[in-house]
Amino acid sequence: MIYLDNAATTKPDAECLKRAEEYLLSKYYNPSALYAEGYNLHLELKRARNNVLSLIADEYNFSLVFTSCGTEADNQAVFCGAKRGNVVTTMGEHSAIYSAVNELKQRGIEVRFAELNGDGSVNCGSLLSLVDENTSLVSVIHVNNETGAVNDICAIAKSVKSKNGRTLFHSDGVQAFGKIAFRLSKDIDLYSVSAHKIGGIKGCGALFKRKNLAIKPFIYGGGQEQGLRSGTENVFGIKCFEFASLKKYENLGNAFKNVKRLNGTMRKRLDSGLFKILSSENSSPYILSVAATGLRGETVLHEADDSGLIIGTGSACSSNASKRYSRIILACGVEKETADGVLRISFSSENTVEEVEKAAEILNSIVKNRKQIMA
């Protein structure tokens, strides 16, 4: 089986799982307990927090709150950051942001959506035109989860702050963390990440927070995570996340080059007469969005699965939605006939050129045969 749906989830890293195993089987104590074993785990969590934090942020200016997933981190940013006036976001956000801000509408907060460019990146002019003196929060995805478009969040955050210094700036960094090189700037207040996108396990994520930023908890209870996220900590998941993060950043540059090569191979191998490439050359190489115009992407996905290839049709978190077309792809200006045939191919540095070549062969064969049947 060839797995090319890594934007949905990645295979847990075996080495990291093995290293973290002791926190599941022997060091299973409650890190909030007063006995020595519990306190020692508290210190382990502190070490994990500092290690993950240091990868993209200055520990003197940022802190880290561990959560259950990227969606929870996004929701905490939205519901704890948007308390008044209006909220500005983009039409290209993951459903964790898009659904959350639409809930804000029900609570009486105005929500404004910035337009997208053709590749799925935010139109900065459109975004900034929506920011005013009443904007409490701006949220812009770092790497679009369907097209791979990369937004320059540091530059965007700086421009937002120049219009309204009191506006909080958040970014969903789930598809960027552990994949592309960057550092959080002083203009970014909140940043969300997820463990299972980089070889960690499901059930763990984190929210980076500017240190002097005062926000209320999203989940109440025993006051864990500096009082900002109650609930007994998932020590095994957090340690696995720490190990996976450190491993990814040790080899970030080489992995990026390898994945870029895989992406380029797929672009060359797909029949240009059958597929339209939607992702730009400047997008993250980890995500390649293509379209088999005139066909249903879901149909191609199922046939590919039968042939030993796993790919996606867009965000896995939106697969249960009743709408036929991706709102993100439509917001890029893609016509419905093309949007209906969208496929998302997403890579891991563990994938091989041989796998990608075989995957392209499978996809070309499926679409060619389908079109011959329809002719």
Side-chain angles (χ1 to χ4, degrees):
M1 183 66 74
I2 301 172
Y3 183 71
L4 293 179
D5 195 24
N6 291 280
T9 194
T10 57
K11 181 180 179 180
D13 185 282
E15 179 186 357
C16 297
L17 285 175
K18 187 65 177 177
R19 288 184 64 190
E21 188 179 63
E22 62 177 318
Y23 300 97
L24 187 64
L25 300 178
S26 58
K27 295 182 179 180
Y28 51 80
Y29 312 103
N30 190 321
S32 296
L34 297 179
Y35 44 77
E37 292 81 359
Y39 182 70
N40 287 337
L41 281 186
H42 167 76
L43 296 179
E44 290 278 9
L45 288 180
K46 184 178 180 180
R47 184 179 298 111
R49 191 186 320 280
N50 290 338
N51 280 339
V52 175
L53 182 65
S54 67
L55 295 172
I56 61 168
D58 180 346
E59 62 182 297
Y60 297 104
N61 294 315
F62 287 88
S63 61
L64 185 75
V65 179
F66 285 116
T67 65
S68 67
C69 58
T71 292
E72 184 191 323
D74 279 345
N75 273 246
Q76 181 162 15
V78 168
F79 292 113
C80 297
K83 295 295 184 182
R84 57 177 172 75
N86 64 73
V87 169
V88 176
T89 187
T90 85
M91 290 299 295
E93 298 301 303
H94 185 276
S95 56
I97 292 294
Y98 189 78
S99 297
V101 297
N102 277 303
E103 171 59 24
L104 287 179
K105 288 183 181 180
Q106 307 303 314
R107 304 183 185 188
I109 294 179
E110 181 188 359
V111 178
R112 302 171 177 178
F113 293 97
E115 298 174 356
L116 300 184
N117 298 316
D119 64 350
S121 61
V122 64
N123 183 304
C124 292
S126 172
L127 180 85
L128 292 174
S129 71
L130 301 175
V131 177
D132 59 27
E133 67 277 6
N134 296 314
T135 302
S136 58
L137 176 72
V138 171
S139 185
V140 176
I141 197 167
H142 195 169
V143 172
N144 187 287
N145 58 293
E146 293 196 27
T147 70
V150 181
N151 288 307
D152 186 348
I153 57 170
C154 292
I156 296 171
K158 185 176 181 180
S159 296
V160 167
K161 296 285 186 177
S162 68
K163 285 203 71 174
N164 184 343
R166 295 179 297 111
T167 298
L168 298 183
F169 187 91
H170 166 258
S171 181
D172 177 330
V174 167
Q175 297 293 349
F177 183 77
K179 298 179 179 180
I180 65 174
F182 68 95
R183 299 284 295 180
L184 296 183
S185 69
K186 63 181 179 61
D187 297 306
I188 295 171
D189 300 290
L190 298 158
Y191 190 82
S192 308
V193 298
S194 178
H196 75 101
K197 307 292 189 178
I198 59 165
I201 64 168
K202 300 172 187 69
C204 186
L207 179 66
F208 289 76
K209 182 186 77 69
R210 184 165 49 79
K211 258 189 178 176
N212 61 352
L213 174 64
I215 61 172
K216 290 185 177 181
F218 184 55
I219 295 178
Y220 290 83
Q224 289 89 345
E225 292 301 300
Q226 310 129 68
L228 291 176
R229 201 280 178 185
S230 292
T232 303
E233 297 93 340
N234 175 8
V235 181
F236 170 66
I238 289 170
K239 293 302 287 186
C240 195
F241 184 23
E242 174 195 6
F243 299 147
S245 299
L246 291 172
K247 187 172 181 178
K248 284 294 182 184
Y249 276 88
E250 282 176 2
N251 196 41
L252 193 71
N254 288 333
F256 186 89
K257 291 178 183 177
N258 181 45
V259 170
K260 192 168 185 179
R261 181 186 178 197
L262 299 177
N263 186 297
T265 299
M266 182 63 79
R267 287 173 181 264
K268 291 177 183 177
R269 294 280 180 159
L270 286 177
D271 188 331
S272 60
L274 301 174
F275 291 93
K276 180 177 181 180
I277 305 293
L278 301 180
S279 297
S280 76
E281 292 284 351
N282 295 324
S283 295
S284 166
Y286 284 86
I287 297 175
L288 178 62
S289 185
V290 304
T293 304
L295 298 180
R296 290 289 304 276
E298 186 177 346
T299 300
V300 177
L301 178 150
H302 289 304
E303 286 201 39
D305 194 9
D306 292 339
S307 300
L309 170 63
I310 297 177
I311 54 175
T313 56
S315 172
C317 294
S318 300
S319 61
N320 294 323
S322 59
K323 293 183 179 179
R324 178 168 177 172
Y325 308 102
S326 162
R327 59 175 170 79
I328 293 176
I329 296 300
L330 291 180
C332 293
V334 177
E335 295 181 353
K336 285 187 175 181
E337 183 183 15
T338 300
D340 203 21
V342 167
L343 299 166
R344 182 182 68 175
I345 304 164
S346 48
F347 308 94
S348 162
S349 57
E350 281 69 49
N351 287 128
T352 65
V353 170
E354 291 73 24
E355 284 181 322
V356 171
E357 289 175 342
K358 180 61 178 178
E361 181 183 323
I362 291 171
L363 290 172
N364 285 336
S365 177
I366 290 171
V367 174
K368 183 178 180 180
N369 290 340
R370 274 280 162 187
K371 292 208 169 186
Q372 286 178 346
I373 292 171
M374 294 170 60

